[in-house]
Amino acid sequence: MKQSFGFFLKSIALGFSGAMLFFSCADNYKRVGEEALPLVFPQGVAENFSFRYSESNNVMGNEDIDTTRVISVLSGPITENYENLEFPYRTFPKGIVVDIYDEDKNKNKITADYCIRYSSTGLIDLRGNVVLETHDGKKLEAPQLYYDQSNEWAFTQHKFKYTNPEEGTVMDGEGMDFNKDFSFLNAHKTYGLMTIKEEIND
């Protein structure tokens, strides 16, 4: 009887030790997980913002001459600044409008429901109901689009719809890259019907 009671106490002690070890490991696992994925908060938030990006025209002259040219303007209801991180970026969680200007100051416009701009690369990731409209009426619609500010180049790997009123064409496809004014356009895959405007000679 004394031996079985001792065995019972040893069993309780082992069970208690195992439980403590489990909870200790679970606690360590939780803390390690939190350390591996730290919470990230923006260092600043701006509402009803407008950011202007420009480049130098390299013109030598007096101080009254404007030596910069506006390349693009980003605007929207709210932006969150994470530029204090090792890989800095900005988010535009409630949508964005990107006005892009060519050398002749013609404005092309991109709108999207959500956007991230990576500050170190100048790459803009636009998502949700992305629409690009040129000053001469061309229009591209896609669920996601990347715009490279440095090279003034845009591309998507998703399905798209491209409308060109000058030629009277509507193109559906998947994957496209092009420059900012659509003077060069490379569609990776096209499918479905393409509407082409016909000229009628009297």
Side-chain angles (χ1 to χ4, degrees), residues 120-140:
S120 58
T121 62
L123 185 68
I124 301 175
D125 179 1
L126 302 124
R127 305 175 188 174
N129 297 310
V130 182
V131 179
L132 190 155
E133 298 175 278
T134 64
H135 68 279
D136 55 359
K138 298 182 183 74
K139 184 178 181 180
L140 177 74

Side-chain angles (χ1 to χ4, degrees), residues 152-163:
E152 299 182 341
W153 197 262
F155 55 95
T156 181
Q157 296 298 323
H158 293 270
K159 292 181 179 180
F160 67 84
K161 180 179 181 180
Y162 172 61
T163 306

